[in-house]
Amino acid sequence: MAETYNTLNHLVQINDRNLADLEVTDLLDDAPLLKVLYTQTASQKTLHKYLKQTVASAAAFRAALDGVTNAASQDELVTVTLQILDGSFHADVALADAYKDGRGAYLQKEMFRKMRQIFSTVEKQVIYGVGNDSAGFIGLHDGFLNALSNAMVVAARKAGSTANSQTSVYFIRHGRDDVSLVLGNDGKIVVEDEPTIQRVAGSVSGTFPALFVPVTGYIGLQLGSAYSSARIANIETALDDDDIAEALSLFPASRQPNVIVMNRKAAKLLRESRTATSPTGAPAPWVESCFNIPVIITDSVKSTEAVET
């Protein structure tokens, strides 16, 4: 993938320094999809507009002295409204001042923990959209992939039927014109350098002085075209490479997905379906790819999905 350098790690900025500069790239360890997902800044500060082709242009052979109808392609203007991402937090002044390395180190430790949770939450939003957080942006599941009637959704060949015990595999073609994470305000997540001291209600009674640290930014998801993502739904007890191949067949030959996303349950079922063919009879290895497409294994994909109809 020629554009894999354009990732969250290099674009998101905590104030004026990106994650790579801060040398805390492990903040994305709990969000492995975000580590590789193509990311771009919004076309406007809190809005992102792009053209999606809806009708192909026409071309045809013709006879001499005769004509053809040369219809032009057609595009649809899509507007993505970015949502406010808020990871603000407060810390007890007494705890911060008693920390072995001082108040600043305590707040930095808390901020890194908060950022790790923020990125994990964003990854869940990318997959499930408002089904994860109703105040957040639309994701893959509720954007194009929320029913078996959708053209890019198939059920597992041995589909499950137990309520709230299903999982899915998501196929994503990400890039500038396909699925893309979108950062507002030039990619900045603003963290106040000088936290304020506020009076906060105690857990039982009274109040205590707390350091309040605002952490805010804007973020959204570009869904791309109808052929930018697909899903295998209703996975409960079985998943094999034939299921994967069926989902891949939904994509145009020239626009295959560049990542497959699943959780540990789906990866385990897929591995169990594979027959080891090594001379030593070693068991099939843990899943890393399918048909030369890398697999991302993440806990952001649930095993408690409803049965899709």
Side-chain angles (χ1 to χ4, degrees):
M1 296 178 291
E3 297 172 320
T4 52
Y5 63 88
N6 216 17
T7 62
L8 181 69
N9 184 47
H10 292 89
L11 284 188
V12 69
Q13 294 181 357
I14 299 177
N15 292 349
D16 293 321
R17 299 180 65 191
N18 62 35
L19 294 188
D21 291 338
L22 290 170
E23 298 181 354
V24 288
T25 55
D26 60 338
L27 285 176
L28 291 170
D29 284 353
D30 294 333
L33 174 58
L34 291 195
K35 272 191 172 182
V36 302
L37 191 65
Y38 188 92
T39 304
Q40 58 186 309
T41 54
S43 59
Q44 300 176 23
K45 292 183 72 67
T46 61
L47 291 176
H48 180 61
K49 298 184 178 183
Y50 66 100
L51 292 175
K52 178 175 69 174
Q53 183 176 344
T54 56
V55 177
S57 59
F61 292 100
R62 67 177 179 85
L65 304 178
D66 197 6
V68 295
T69 301
N70 289 317
S73 63
Q74 297 180 27
D75 296 298
E76 172 189 351
L77 178 63
V78 180
T79 299
V80 177
T81 301
L82 276 60
Q83 304 300 320
I84 298 173
L85 175 68
D86 194 325
S88 304
F89 65 94
H90 67 263
D92 191 320
V93 170
L95 287 177
D97 287 345
Y99 189 62
K100 62 178 182 177
D101 295 320
R103 178 184 291 187
Y106 183 88
L107 292 177
Q108 185 178 63
K109 172 178 67 71
E110 290 299 314
M111 189 193 74
F112 286 166
R113 288 177 177 177
K114 175 65 72 169
M115 293 303 297
R116 183 176 286 109
Q117 183 59 42
I118 284 173
F119 293 139
S120 178
T121 298
V122 170
E123 183 171 278
K124 293 180 178 67
Q125 196 73 22
V126 167
I127 296 169
Y128 292 108
V130 297
N132 174 63
D133 187 336
S134 60
F137 54 81
I138 294 174
L140 299 172
H141 187 279
D142 54 350
F144 288 132
L145 309 175
N146 61 352
L148 294 180
S149 58
N150 294 358
M152 300 297 285
V153 180
V154 296
R157 294 183 307 127
K158 296 180 180 178
S161 59
T162 305
N164 301 321
S165 297
Q166 311 302 311
T167 189
S168 295
V169 174
Y170 294 87
F171 299 73
I172 303 173
R173 181 177 177 84
H174 63 100
R176 185 186 63 184
D177 299 320
D178 290 287
V179 175
S180 172
L181 198 66
V182 181
L183 304 175
N185 291 340
D186 298 321
K188 286 188 177 181
I189 294 178
V190 179
V191 179
E192 183 57 52
D193 290 327
E194 295 295 332
T196 58
I197 297 180
Q198 300 181 354
R199 180 180 295 177
V200 176
S203 59
V204 178
S205 64
T207 62
F208 66 93
L211 295 158
F212 178 69
V213 181
V215 182
T216 57
Y218 280 86
I219 195 164
L221 185 69
Q222 175 181 295
L223 294 172
S225 75
Y227 294 104
S228 294
S229 59
R231 173 190 174 201
I232 302 174
N234 297 346
I235 301 169
E236 183 179 350
T237 61
L239 175 69
D240 60 27
D241 284 305
D242 288 338
D243 292 314
I244 302 294
E246 182 176 0
L248 290 175
S249 72
L250 301 176
F251 290 86
S254 61
R255 297 181 58 80
Q256 289 287 289
N258 41 29
V259 69
I260 299 173
V261 184
M262 64 182 71
N263 63 14
R264 289 171 292 153
K265 173 183 176 179
K268 175 178 177 291
L269 293 173
L270 182 58
R271 193 206 71 82
E272 290 173 346
S273 74
R274 293 176 170 179
T275 302
T277 57
S278 67
T280 62
W286 189 240
V287 176
E288 295 182 350
S289 66
C290 295
F291 303 103
N292 296 320
I293 300 173
V295 169
I296 301 295
I297 299 176
T298 174
D299 291 333
S300 294
V301 179
K302 299 183 292 188
S303 292
T304 56
E305 295 179 358
V307 176
E308 206 64 82
T309 59

